[in-house]
Amino acid sequence: LWTWATQNRVFVHFSEIGTTSSLDDGPRGAYLEDVVSILRANGAGWTCWEWHMNFGIKGAPRSKAACLQGPKSAPAAEATK
């Protein structure tokens, strides 16, 4: 995906990442930290689902912190030869 996106100058956005709020914040936060770090490393965007309800991060400090990390700058596209 990342190679194709770079070659075709396509921005990748994951529109809904998250886990059910019935899980403890520790494992949820760890999962979201991993997912967000992969997306950030590849210049992708993301949206966490959702603020408050079934997947809510509002009352989950570690999950919220993971979701609210700003994206890194997108990797520079290679010049077309």
Side-chain angles (χ1 to χ4, degrees), residues 17-22 28 32 48-58 60 63:
I17 63 170
T19 65
T20 179
S21 61
S22 65
R28 290 177 70 203
L32 289 168
C48 286
W49 188 255
E50 66 198 335
W51 180 250
H52 180 68
M53 291 301 281
N54 297 330
F55 286 72
I57 61 170
K58 180 179 178 183
S63 299

Side-chain angles (χ1 to χ4, degrees), residues 5-6 11 18-19 26 29 31 33-34 40 49 52-53 61 65 67-68 71 75:
T6 300
F11 179 74
T19 65
Y31 167 77
E33 288 164 358
D34 287 347
R40 288 186 75 202
W49 188 255
H52 180 68
M53 291 301 281
C67 284
L68 296 178

